[in-house]
Amino acid sequence: MTGITDRAFIIHSRSFGETSTIFDLLTEENGLISTILKGAKKRKDVSQLQPSREFIVEASKANLPSLIKYELSKTYIIKKKYILLIVYFNELVYRLVPKNQPQKTLFNIYHNYISYMSSTDDHQDSVIIGFELLLLKNLGYAVTSETPISSIDDNYMFYYDKLVGFKQTNDHYQGHKISGKDLKMVLNFDINSIQEKGVVRMITKDIIINIANPKRIKSFDII
């Protein structure tokens, strides 16, 4: 049976039996797929199968495809302060993205952020928020506002309602809320200009938890 050849990043791996390993790959043309590398633990070259490396892979077509061939295409030297972000991004993809569906846009987002983390000096929260917003949009949960951007007052406060997006609130609201100024930055994807990045992160975290339910995002403990 004809197999597939695709660009891929390793998202997750786990042992299978005594000698094999299952690798979950984010591929350019085939989306998130699971593959099995038989006899992986006996192979000398298996150590190269690491996150943040781009591969050209060949896999069979089956319910659980065999990983037939993998060729290292590019290694990205991720800056130390972003290493844990890869763990977090990979878990989000693994937990939230449906398998065996085309995800070319997501592949490009992921690829761009891996490259970005090898060159930028931006604040960690800027990198996290940017990836989260793009991932949420790709999953069909784009962050929106009940109030049009042109009508948002910089000095008003807003909270996120999962049904309609950001809504204006008052000073007595006890949940996470951001200023109209920061909200416009979020909606315009001007991430570096957001003043209260920590608050925005708490809001995106709540959105992700709601989507992931009942799955737990373990990386929240370290990010």
Side-chain angles (χ1 to χ4, degrees), residues 99-160:
K99 287 188 175 180
N100 304 311
Q101 295 182 14
Q103 295 287 348
K104 193 162 188 175
T105 298
L106 176 59
F107 180 88
N108 290 333
I109 291 169
Y110 186 92
H111 173 272
N112 290 341
Y113 266 79
I114 292 293
S115 178
Y116 174 42
M117 288 187 288
S118 69
S119 60
T120 187
D121 283 314
D122 285 347
H123 193 282
Q124 282 189 11
D125 285 346
S126 293
V127 180
I128 294 171
I129 293 168
F131 184 84
E132 288 174 335
L133 292 178
L134 291 174
L135 176 63
L136 288 170
K137 182 178 180 179
N138 188 77
L139 292 171
Y141 296 93
V143 174
T144 59
S145 171
E146 185 180 53
T147 306
I149 295 179
S150 59
S151 300
I152 295 174
D153 189 301
D154 285 358
N155 299 311
Y156 289 170
M157 301 302 294
F158 294 80
Y159 75 99
Y160 191 81

Side-chain angles (χ1 to χ4, degrees), residues 16-213:
F16 185 84
E18 294 184 0
T19 63
S20 299
T21 301
I22 293 176
F23 289 95
D24 295 292
L25 309 174
L26 179 61
T27 67
E28 183 176 28
E29 301 294 339
N30 295 275
L32 183 64
I33 63 172
S34 294
T35 63
I36 182 169
L37 182 59
K38 297 177 180 179
K41 297 172 186 177
K42 297 181 179 179
R43 298 178 65 125
K44 294 180 179 179
D45 65 347
V46 75
S47 61
Q48 69 176 300
L49 291 171
Q50 300 292 332
S52 80
R53 294 178 175 180
E54 183 179 341
F55 295 88
I56 303 297
V57 301
E58 292 184 22
S60 64
K61 282 192 175 180
N63 289 333
L64 180 57
S66 292
L67 185 56
I68 300 169
K69 184 179 179 180
Y70 44 89
E71 179 182 344
L72 182 60
S73 175
K74 187 170 182 178
T75 298
Y76 297 88
I77 308 301
I78 307 301
K79 294 190 175 182
K80 185 176 180 180
K81 66 179 180 178
Y82 303 129
I83 293 296
L84 289 179
L85 301 195
I86 297 176
V87 176
Y88 175 53
F89 293 169
N90 284 355
E91 185 177 8
L92 290 183
V93 172
Y94 180 67
R95 299 289 183 190
L96 303 181
V97 175
K99 287 188 175 180
N100 304 311
Q101 295 182 14
Q103 295 287 348
K104 193 162 188 175
T105 298
L106 176 59
F107 180 88
N108 290 333
I109 291 169
Y110 186 92
H111 173 272
N112 290 341
Y113 266 79
I114 292 293
S115 178
Y116 174 42
M117 288 187 288
S118 69
S119 60
T120 187
D121 283 314
D122 285 347
H123 193 282
Q124 282 189 11
D125 285 346
S126 293
V127 180
I128 294 171
I129 293 168
F131 184 84
E132 288 174 335
L133 292 178
L134 291 174
L135 176 63
L136 288 170
K137 182 178 180 179
N138 188 77
L139 292 171
Y141 296 93
V143 174
T144 59
S145 171
E146 185 180 53
T147 306
I149 295 179
S150 59
S151 300
I152 295 174
D153 189 301
D154 285 358
N155 299 311
Y156 289 170
M157 301 302 294
F158 294 80
Y159 75 99
Y160 191 81
D161 183 304
K162 64 182 180 181
L163 298 179
V164 299
F166 278 99
K167 296 178 67 173
Q168 187 176 326
T169 186
N170 54 48
D171 293 337
H172 300 293
Y173 178 74
Q174 297 299 311
H176 305 302
K177 55 189 176 182
I178 62 174
S179 67
K181 185 176 182 180
D182 272 351
L183 175 55
K184 287 191 287 189
M185 300 302 176
V186 170
L187 298 176
N188 286 323
F189 205 77
D190 185 4
I191 308 301
N192 284 327
S193 297
I194 297 172
Q195 295 182 355
E196 297 291 338
K197 293 182 179 68
V199 178
V200 174
R201 281 219 53 215
M202 293 303 297
I203 292 171
T204 55
K205 179 179 179 179
D206 287 344
I207 297 172
I208 290 168
I209 289 173
N210 182 65
I211 296 171
N213 185 47

